[in-house]
Amino acid sequence: MHIRRALQGFAAATSVATVSLLGASPASAYPTWQTVGSTNSNWHCGTTIHHPASNNVNMRMCIVMNASKEAQAVLVVVNHASVAVKIEAPGIYTTWGAGGYCNEYPLAPGAQRACFTNTWPLDCSQDTTYAVEYLKMNGISGPVSNRVTTPC
């Protein structure tokens, strides 16, 4: 009986610790597209642009920074088309060493997904800290574009 209570207590403590750690800083999620909700003051986003192959598929590059001056780049894609499209992010590149990609994913009409890079310490000695992405939609390549900078 005492062992059972001890195990239950350990499981509860582990769950709390896991939730605390996950909430402490951004996590790497590549190569899988993730759902993303609203952003906050830790998110520094560039302008929204459309993919060259469709005015109905919009993308935006963001940098998420934590209090420890670590950051990750995030490519957010929204499908405003009436049909599903296949998206793939073969490369997200940064000036501070974070990088990533996301495999091909069927993005439903009206859906939004995000591709996160790994989290990496920022080098604040650089003049500019920025990220760029490369998005394929239905097999059509988009240029490296949508550069976003963040204060260090």
Side-chain angles (χ1 to χ4, degrees):
M1 187 70 151
H2 294 292
I3 293 174
R4 185 180 193 174
R5 266 193 234 155
L7 288 174
Q8 287 173 338
F10 177 74
T14 302
S15 296
V16 169
T18 301
V19 169
S20 297
L21 286 174
L22 290 176
S25 66
S28 175
Y30 72 90
T32 306
W33 291 91
Q34 305 293 314
T35 58
V36 64
S38 60
T39 60
N40 59 34
S41 62
N42 294 340
W43 286 65
H44 306 277
C45 297
T47 58
T48 299
I49 62 173
H50 66 271
H51 191 278
S54 173
N55 290 336
N56 294 315
V57 177
N58 295 333
M59 55 190 161
R60 183 163 81 158
M61 195 73 230
C62 299
I63 297 173
V64 183
M65 188 167 51
N66 66 23
S68 300
K69 299 277 190 217
E70 297 170 324
Q72 66 186 145
V74 184
L75 170 60
V76 180
V77 181
V78 181
N79 182 7
H80 295 292
S82 59
V83 296
V85 297
K86 290 181 182 178
I87 57 172
E88 178 183 0
I92 299 176
Y93 311 97
T94 71
T95 57
W96 69 94
Y101 64 93
C102 284
N103 293 326
E104 188 175 87
Y105 180 83
L107 188 61
Q112 173 178 283
R113 289 291 183 271
C115 182
F116 290 79
T117 67
N118 57 337
T119 302
W120 201 261
L122 285 173
D123 178 3
C124 292
S125 66
Q126 295 184 52
D127 290 336
T128 57
T129 302
Y130 67 90
V132 295
E133 49 46 44
Y134 178 69
L135 179 71
K136 288 175 86 174
M137 186 203 73
N138 291 340
I140 300 170
S141 298
V144 174
S145 62
N146 207 6
R147 178 174 160 160
V148 62
T149 61
T150 184
C152 209

